[in-house]
Structures are given as structure tokens and as C-alpha cells.
Amino acid sequence: MGFVLDAYAARSCPLKTVYRFTPGLEPPRDRLPDPPFFHDADAIEASVFARLLASDDEAVHLRTLPAPDAATAERATIAAMRAGAPLILAPVLPRDERGHRAGRPSALIREAGDGPGYHPVQIKFHRVLESVPMDAPPLSVTALDAPRRLLALPGRGFRWRHRLPAALQLAHDWRLLEASGYAAERPFAGIIGLDQIAWDGQPPQPLITWLDLSAARVPPPPDTTTIPAEAAPISTLQRYDDDFAVRVALAEGALTASAAAPPPLLPVITSECRGCVWLPRCTAVLDPDDVSVRITKSPLDAHEITTLRALGLGTVTALAAVDLDTLLPSYLPRVSHRDDAESRIRRAHHRACLLAAGVELERETSGPLPLPRHDLEIDVDIETSAEDRVYLWGFWVDDHTSGASYARQFAAFEELDAAGEQALAGEAMAWLAELVTGRDAAVYHYSDYEVVRLGRLAGHLGDLGVWAQEWASEHFVDLFTVVRQNYFGANGLGLKVVASAVAGFAWRDEDPGGLNSQSWFADAVHARDEIAREQARVRVLEYNEDDVRATWHLRRWLRTQG
């Protein structure tokens, strides 16, 4: 039976391939929405496409087809490649039934000179570059307004360690181009990230970073070698071929399997699982005490988990009971694909011990905590939209002199521009200045996010901004710093974890979270009817109020310690 896999297969959990091709197996839940980006993905892609289109009058944009279904787009892609179009946006490459591949890169760029072949390009909504020594080999890049003119950029490199999955996608696209007969002479592929680079006298701008997919610079899959650190690097294409071959074999096996059969691989719960429709099926076959299920903060990766399982330490109970110094000599060589493998297993072991003992937060210091009392204490928390605009400043006021406690919020349920965001911040800071002037006061927050955003906006607020920054530098107190310097958390030190566990505080919303609040804000602004918009506004305001009340409860608990 014929089947094809897309560019995500080789970089994704192999069980997704198994489940997808098992006859009669249905996902146990509806598809979850993709987590919202902090940036507008559609707008970023449109901006990149616009600059690329402006670079060449002969560029072809296939998303503008009257009926852009896959078959039509594939035929149009073939026609554009045959015609030698210098740039093809939103292509659909010809399916490779024999190689079991299908794919659609963001763009195709014809090789330099008169060559007939193409290089694949992917747009990614994250940063892809890192700083490197200036004497390191320069990075090969092209500007969006001249995508076929190769340039050398010193001091920057591709984030191979963290962005290998994106490179594997490009290798998939390259193999598809090879099968179609339209691959360039050399296996180079481009990637466009969120990085904005100022160079050669030009303002900051995105660039196409070019990767040599044939260069031996990535590690082989860690489960294919006894000591990963000693394995020679291989090319991106070879790594992709190895990973893709595993998925093809799993798909072939799944096609003849039964929906009732257990999975051929024991699942490992990772960050990828959060948006997966198959998660309930995977957790159902795992021991509830499995390390990958219970240790969710700084979790071990899939190979680290399978290594622990091979050593008989797959559960939190077993890991907590082991003598770590006895374990390390047999464990560390097998997980040497991680430079920080020892510190990672030590943290995991520490968490396992706390979880096994039922301890959420462990004090690592002694004595009173540095939290002096003030006559006027204010908690602050801000909310930002998916467009990264602060649309809500929320405060909880606790006036010990008058005995009054109350919430005060400054919100704008509309799509803010820079001026609107600044005006809202000015309103909140003017209120704060009037409230604290002449008082023994302090403002509390959890992490430095509020301080960073205030600093970013203060420069636009004139004298009020100057006052806000100066006053904040002396009177704002980061409770997260206090907690982090004195405690270790079995499930991390996030406000929702800590305030719930030790202060007994509960949020009113059943699914509180910063990313969730961004979708609530979108509903508050854009929902079709006023009732839905009002419900979303109330949900956001209550969530924000609960955040500031949580820091108040946490601070009260912290003052009882030591």
C-alpha cells in the first residue's frame, strides 16, 4: 500500500507515524489548537514574501492561484520549475511515491548562474542564529531583496544544537527535489528566522541563512551509538535519511497492525506531546509513576528517559531510591549527547526524591527571608496580546494603615498600536505615582517581566517615565528572585505551582495561563457577539486579579518561614 510522509515526520515523535497508519485507529481527542505565537506568523510570512517578490519581476507566487488545492499547486510548481522561474513562493513539490515523501517548503530559489535546479527555503517563527567568534568561518547568507547573491556574514552561526529539527525539514525538501529532477547542483538549503541582522551599513533585516546539507556537522541519532560523544559527526542529509528510514519502517509495520495492538515503542512524554491528539493513548500505556510523566520541569529528553528505563530506573520511585554516584558511571557515557548530562540527571534525581516524599517545595537556606513589611504594599501583573502589546496593568493594593485591600486595573480591550500601549502605561503609572507619593510603599511582582516592559515603555512617557524607572529601581521587589534563591521546587518555581502548593491559593479559571490569556484577549476584542466579548473580558480581568492576589498570598506565606 502506498503512503507518503511529510517534512515533519523525521523530526517528530515516531509514534505519531505509527498511530497515523494503524488501520482503524482514531485519535482519542479532537485536534488541539496550535499554541499561539508571540508574533503573528501570517504577518511575518506575508512580509517575507512581499520582500522576496519585490526582488524579481519573474517570481511566481502560488498562493495566489484561483484554486490553491494541493494537486493544482503541485502542477503549478512543476510548470514554474520547468519554466526556470528564479523564485517560487508557497510551492507544493511533486509527491515521491517511491521514497514515501510529500512536502511544501516556504519557497524555492533557483541556483545561481544559469543552473536549472532549485534550493528549498523554509520560514521559521523563531530565531535561528547565534553569535560565534569573529575568526570563525563566516555564515553564508543572502538578503531578501537579492536572494540569489551569496554573501559572507562574520560573527554569526546557525544554531545547530537547538535548530536541528528545522534542518531535517530542509533535508526532506531536498530529497523531494532530487526525486523530481529539479534539485540544484549542490545540496544547500535556506532558512529564514526571526533574527534581524544589521550589517554592511544596512538597517536590521531578516536574512536567508544557507546550510550545506552535505557537511558533516551533526551528531548521529544517540540511540545508534554506545557513547554518543565519541561518534563522528555526519551530514544533515545522512541524519535525515537515518531518521526518515525509521519512520518509513514504522509506517509499513503499522499498516499491517491492529488498532488493539500495543505500540511497538514505549511512549516518552516530552514537550512535543502538549499539542498532540494521541497523548491520552500514550499516557494510558505508561506507568503513572513514569519519569517522563511526573518530572515536568527541566524534563529529561527522550534518549535520557529510554536510557534510564534500560537501567531499570524508569519510574520516579526507582530513580529516587538509586544511589546517584553509583549510577553515573554506567549512565553518563550513554547520554553523552548532552554536554550537561550530569547536572540534568542530578536535578531530575533531586526532583524524584521530593516527588517520592510528597514534598513540593524544599527550603535550601535558613533564617528569615528578605521581605521587610511596608505600610503600603502593591502587587502588579501585566497581560500582553499575541502582538506583544501590554493591554492590561493589574494591581492589588494592601494598605496596612487604612486596612483597605482592593484591585485596580487599567485595561484596553482593543488592538493597540505603540501610542495606545504607551498611553495605557502612562495612565497606570500616573495612578501609581499619586498613590505612593509620601508613603512607605513597595510594589511586588513575580519575575522581571513587568520591570522589563516598564523600562521599554518609560522612555516614551516623559517625566512620568523617568519617575517610574527611578522609583521602580528602589521600590519594586521580585518575589521570584526571593523564591529562587531560597527554594528548590519539585515541579519548578512558577507562580501557579508555588502559590497553589504552599500558600493554598486557587485561580478561579480552570485553565489559567499567560498564553491562554492571549486567546481570551483575542475573543474579548474580536468575538462575533457582545456577550462572548464580555465573557472573555471578565475572564481576562479575573485571571489577572488572581495573579496579583496570588503574589499577596505567597508573600504572606514567605514571611512565616525561617
Side-chain angles (χ1 to χ4, degrees):
M1 183 182 297
F3 64 90
V4 292
L5 303 175
D6 65 16
Y8 282 89
R11 60 168 287 179
S12 299
C13 169
L15 279 176
K16 287 183 179 179
T17 298
V18 173
Y19 296 150
R20 176 186 170 191
F21 291 101
T22 300
L25 188 61
E26 295 293 332
R29 65 186 182 191
D30 293 334
R31 175 169 293 279
L32 299 179
D34 292 330
F37 289 102
F38 284 106
H39 303 275
D40 188 334
D42 291 337
I44 291 170
E45 183 185 77
S47 175
V48 170
F49 278 3
R51 296 187 63 172
L52 288 171
L53 283 170
S55 72
D56 199 308
D57 293 339
E58 298 181 21
V60 175
H61 190 358
L62 298 182
R63 197 160 288 163
T64 61
L65 291 171
D69 60 276
T72 302
E74 181 178 320
R75 289 192 295 269
T77 300
I78 295 171
M81 291 191 295
R82 285 176 178 169
L87 173 65
I88 306 171
L89 302 182
V92 174
L93 291 171
R95 290 162 67 96
D96 175 17
E97 300 286 353
R98 183 177 180 180
H100 303 293
R101 295 183 182 89
R104 47 177 72 203
S106 301
L108 297 174
I109 295 179
R110 202 179 76 205
E111 59 187 318
D114 297 325
Y118 286 85
H119 301 283
V121 176
Q122 288 278 3
I123 298 172
K124 289 297 174 183
F125 307 106
H126 49 62
R127 296 184 183 276
V128 300
L129 303 181
E130 62 187 2
S131 297
V132 298
M134 293 298 291
D135 58 356
L139 192 67
S140 295
V141 300
T142 55
L144 297 185
D145 56 5
R148 299 173 67 203
R149 189 172 69 239
L150 202 62
L151 302 168
L153 177 65
R156 292 288 193 280
F158 181 68
R159 295 184 176 187
W160 283 102
R161 178 179 293 275
H162 301 291
R163 302 306 184 203
L164 176 59
L168 295 178
Q169 281 184 259
L170 288 167
H172 180 94
D173 295 334
W174 178 261
R175 290 300 190 213
L176 264 174
L177 277 170
E178 283 186 320
S180 73
Y182 285 99
E185 181 179 351
R186 299 181 63 192
F188 276 70
I191 187 166
I192 304 169
L194 294 180
D195 313 82
Q196 299 279 327
I197 306 298
W199 62 298
D200 197 26
Q202 301 296 316
Q205 59 181 294
L207 299 171
I208 305 176
T209 296
W210 291 98
L211 308 179
D212 182 355
L213 302 179
S214 66
R217 60 174 309 144
V218 305
D223 57 353
T224 63
T225 179
T226 304
I227 304 179
E230 296 180 357
I234 59 177
S235 71
T236 306
L237 284 171
Q238 182 60 58
R239 173 65 184 262
Y240 162 78
D241 289 341
D242 292 345
D243 289 341
F244 191 75
V246 171
R247 273 63 175 183
V248 170
L250 287 170
E252 291 173 336
L255 286 168
T256 61
S258 164
L265 307 169
L266 190 62
V268 177
I269 305 303
T270 69
S271 59
E272 184 182 348
C273 301
R274 286 196 296 266
C276 181
V277 295
W278 299 105
L279 178 59
R281 182 175 178 86
C282 287
T283 53
V285 303
L286 287 174
D287 187 323
D289 196 38
D290 186 85
V291 170
S292 74
V293 172
R294 296 199 64 193
I295 298 183
T296 58
K297 184 64 177 179
S298 299
L300 300 175
D301 67 29
H303 183 64
E304 290 169 314
I305 294 292
T306 55
T307 300
L308 283 177
R309 289 173 178 170
L311 294 169
L313 302 173
T315 65
V316 160
T317 302
L319 180 58
V322 75
D323 179 81
L324 198 58
D325 290 331
T326 301
L327 169 67
L328 293 180
S330 57
Y331 174 79
L332 290 179
R334 302 191 196 186
V335 295
S336 55
H337 66 298
R338 306 292 305 233
D339 293 336
D340 55 348
E342 182 171 350
S343 62
R344 288 170 59 80
I345 190 61
R346 287 192 180 279
R347 284 196 301 270
H349 181 259
H350 191 176
R351 288 198 162 91
C353 291
L354 294 181
L355 290 169
V359 176
E360 183 67 50
L361 204 62
E362 180 185 57
R363 180 77 185 268
E364 296 188 309
T365 61
S366 60
L369 297 174
L371 282 173
R373 296 178 183 272
H374 299 271
D375 292 340
L376 179 63
E377 298 189 329
I378 305 163
D379 298 274
V380 63
D381 181 70
I382 62 174
E383 308 298 338
T384 55
S385 67
E387 287 69 39
D388 203 29
R389 297 286 187 192
V390 181
Y391 69 87
L392 172 56
W393 293 80
F395 301 90
W396 182 261
V397 180
D398 189 10
D399 191 334
H400 297 162
T401 301
S402 67
S405 295
Y406 58 92
R408 183 69 168 92
Q409 293 171 311
F410 299 85
F413 288 104
E414 59 185 278
E415 294 292 355
L416 294 175
D417 57 12
E421 182 185 31
Q422 293 157 17
L424 185 66
E427 186 181 351
M429 289 304 104
W431 168 84
L432 181 64
E434 182 178 357
L435 182 66
V436 303
T437 297
R439 300 290 304 274
D440 171 33
V443 172
Y444 300 88
H445 51 98
Y446 204 80
S447 87
D448 64 353
Y449 190 56
E450 283 72 20
V451 173
V452 170
R453 296 309 295 253
L454 177 59
R456 198 178 298 176
L457 292 165
H460 303 281
L461 304 181
D463 292 342
L464 179 60
V466 173
W467 171 86
Q469 279 197 291
E470 290 179 351
W471 196 86
S473 68
E474 296 182 4
H475 300 277
F476 273 43
V477 180
D478 185 358
L479 286 181
F480 174 67
T481 298
V482 175
V483 173
R484 182 181 59 189
Q485 291 175 347
N486 293 277
Y487 292 91
F488 184 87
N491 290 298
L493 298 174
L495 176 61
K496 291 169 183 61
V497 171
V498 175
S500 300
V502 300
F505 184 78
W507 274 254
R508 281 170 283 184
D509 198 277
E510 61 183 13
D511 193 18
L515 287 179
N516 288 342
S517 72
Q518 291 186 349
S519 64
W520 305 337
F521 171 76
D523 290 340
V525 176
H526 300 295
R528 292 183 178 181
D529 60 80
E530 177 56 31
I531 293 177
R533 291 194 294 273
E534 178 60 23
Q535 289 174 338
R537 287 193 288 267
V538 170
R539 191 175 189 182
V540 168
L541 292 171
E542 288 184 347
Y543 164 70
N544 175 263
E545 181 181 320
D546 284 348
D547 271 356
V548 290
R549 291 176 61 239
T551 57
W552 181 88
H553 280 271
L554 176 60
R555 182 169 67 259
R556 185 177 65 170
W557 178 83
L558 288 170
R559 283 174 173 155
T560 67
Q561 305 305 299

